[in-house]
Amino acid sequence: MNETTSLTFAMPDMPDLESSALPDDHLDLRLWLRMLTCCNLIESEIRSRLRTEYNTTLPRFDLMAQLLRAPAGMKMSDLSRRMMVTNGNITGITDQLEKEGLVERTKVASDRRSSVVKLTAKGKRVFRKMAQAHEQWIQSLFGGLSDDSRNALFDALAELKAVARPLAS
Amino acid sequence: MNETTSLTFAMPDMPDLESSALPDDHLDLRLWLRMLTCCNLIESEIRSRLRTEYNTTLPRFDLMAQLLRAPAGMKMSDLSRRMMVTNGNITGITDQLEKEGLVERTKVASDRRSSVVKLTAKGKRVFRKMAQAHEQWIQSLFGGLSDDSRNALFDALAELKAVARPLAS
DNA sequence: TATTGTTATACTCTATAACTATA
DNA sequence: TATAGTTATAGAGTATAACAATA
């Protein structure tokens, strides 16, 4: 089904990290460079569009995405764990979003150290619009994949994530 | 062979970007978030090890990797295209590496604007050691994948790269 | 003692733009 | 005019560490 290690699709002659020809005995390395190149291409495209079309950044987008899925709000420390960045960074992003009226902090009575962050009505409205555009960007990229490839990627990445996940602990 | 869209491997209950449960009709988005999470986990681990064990950074490592494969050296602008960053950044990285005696610039007679950058003997020695360690890190991560998954990933990413590649043009 | 959130700070990475010297 | 490389600068993104309030 998969032709093992062959290049199934002819690559145009465009240089990238993987291009420094590696012999076949470095397959894992080639795999990693290919994945890294893909990710970087897509990620920088998304950052660029978020900036030019919605005047926002990827971490801000990600934080709002978390909140949309948590209507009751999330504690800052939960956001920190989920986004895998330190507490101080969450404070900074939340400050910006709050200043623009997109999220709000609420003090929680049960633990007076904690704050809960929620999307405001405006925040929900604005984010839904961005999220829709974002999903279309993604679909226009991944939509070019065959169903087989899409499913194979999905499952293989689950395996990889299980291996890589402990790194963050 | 692949169970279509199911989670083949049980995920430990660790939060990440993909965790904000998305229904199955957003499959491309889940796929992207999963890939992004994998890449970020691995990349930050590699950056961290390069820093603590070899006192270097990923762009510096990448530049040296390009040069090892080009014994005759490369022009700065070629490096810039290959690494997909602007010329000014290549100047900066090259400055650092040259100061440490790892690379050297040579003026080329045919075009007096250009420089060719090469690894020095020391640069080759140092890089080979780092590259060996780097490859072991990668193999210890991707080695956990089954052969089927590895091959499926490799081919699917080739497809994806072909779709995403034009973004950089 | 440990945790929540804040503040201050520093570094990496990258892009933009203005510049020079060639071509 | 266009290209090769340099310089300066700005901003995103992130980490570390010290701190206050609370648990």
Side-chain angles (χ1 to χ4, degrees):
Chain A
M1 200 187 192
N2 290 309
E3 277 116 322
T4 63
T5 67
S6 69
L7 270 172
T8 317
F9 288 73
M11 279 293 156
D13 191 16
M14 300 197 81
D16 62 40
L17 286 184
E18 194 195 340
S19 311
S20 48
L22 288 158
D24 272 356
D25 51 14
H26 299 272
L27 203 57
D28 285 334
L29 191 50
R30 290 193 65 182
L31 181 52
W32 164 240
L33 292 177
R34 184 173 291 187
M35 186 160 116
L36 186 58
T37 300
C38 276
C39 262
N40 286 346
L41 282 168
I42 296 173
E43 195 177 338
S44 70
E45 179 71 11
I46 287 174
R47 283 184 198 276
S48 158
R49 293 198 193 176
L50 283 177
R51 194 183 62 249
T52 60
E53 298 182 24
Y54 293 95
N55 193 34
T56 194
T57 66
L58 196 48
R60 288 173 50 144
F61 181 87
D62 287 341
L63 194 152
M64 294 180 79
Q66 298 306 320
L67 294 186
L68 190 73
R69 298 276 152 196
M74 288 176 77
K75 293 203 314 179
M76 316 263 309
S77 43
D78 292 337
L79 283 166
S80 164
R81 266 184 291 274
R82 184 64 67 89
M83 295 177 63
M84 298 189 274
V85 298
T86 54
N87 247 325
N89 294 313
I90 298 296
T91 297
I93 301 171
T94 304
D95 285 349
Q96 293 175 23
L97 293 174
E98 194 171 34
K99 199 173 296 175
E100 297 178 24
L102 298 169
V103 307
E104 60 186 0
R105 284 177 171 91
T106 324
K107 276 297 183 188
V108 16
S110 60
D111 183 342
R112 283 158 59 200
R113 293 170 304 180
S114 299
S115 293
V116 159
V117 192
K118 274 200 245 190
L119 286 180
T120 61
K122 178 185 174 191
K124 277 182 206 154
R125 199 167 1 101
V126 168
F127 178 74
R128 283 214 181 87
K129 198 164 252 173
M130 290 194 297
Q132 201 172 350
H134 176 264
E135 187 156 4
Q136 281 183 339
W137 303 337
I138 298 300
Q139 278 173 354
S140 75
L141 285 167
F142 286 79
L145 291 182
S146 68
D147 277 358
D148 277 354
S149 292
R150 198 191 272 99
N151 291 331
L153 252 185
F154 199 73
D155 291 340
L157 287 173
E159 269 190 75
L160 185 58
K161 201 163 120 178
V163 178
R165 199 61 188 73
L167 296 178
S169 61
Chain B
M1 198 187 195
N2 289 309
E3 277 118 321
T4 64
T5 66
S6 69
L7 271 171
T8 317
F9 286 74
M11 279 291 156
D13 190 16
M14 299 197 83
D16 62 41
L17 286 184
E18 193 195 340
S19 311
S20 47
L22 288 160
D24 273 354
D25 50 17
H26 299 271
L27 202 58
D28 285 335
L29 189 51
R30 289 193 65 182
L31 181 51
W32 164 240
L33 292 178
R34 185 173 290 187
M35 188 161 115
L36 185 58
T37 300
C38 276
C39 262
N40 286 346
L41 282 168
I42 296 173
E43 194 179 338
S44 70
E45 179 70 12
I46 287 175
R47 283 185 198 274
S48 158
R49 292 198 194 174
L50 283 177
R51 194 183 63 249
T52 60
E53 298 182 25
Y54 293 97
N55 194 32
T56 194
T57 66
L58 196 48
R60 289 173 49 146
F61 180 86
D62 288 341
L63 194 152
M64 293 180 78
Q66 298 306 321
L67 294 186
L68 190 71
R69 297 277 153 194
M74 289 175 77
K75 293 204 313 179
M76 316 264 308
S77 42
D78 292 336
L79 283 167
S80 164
R81 266 184 291 275
R82 184 64 67 92
M83 294 176 64
M84 298 191 273
V85 297
T86 54
N87 247 325
N89 293 315
I90 298 296
T91 298
I93 301 171
T94 304
D95 285 348
Q96 293 175 22
L97 293 173
E98 194 170 36
K99 198 173 298 177
E100 297 179 23
L102 299 169
V103 307
E104 61 187 0
R105 283 176 171 91
T106 324
K107 276 297 184 189
V108 17
S110 58
D111 183 342
R112 281 159 57 201
R113 295 169 304 179
S114 299
S115 294
V116 159
V117 192
K118 274 200 244 188
L119 286 179
T120 61
K122 179 185 174 191
K124 277 182 207 154
R125 201 168 358 102
V126 169
F127 179 74
R128 284 216 179 86
K129 198 165 253 176
M130 290 195 296
Q132 200 172 352
H134 176 262
E135 187 156 4
Q136 282 184 337
W137 303 337
I138 297 300
Q139 279 173 354
S140 75
L141 285 168
F142 286 79
L145 292 182
S146 68
D147 277 358
D148 277 353
S149 291
R150 196 191 273 100
N151 290 330
L153 250 186
F154 199 73
D155 291 341
L157 287 173
E159 269 190 74
L160 184 59
K161 202 162 118 178
V163 178
R165 200 59 188 76
L167 295 177
S169 63

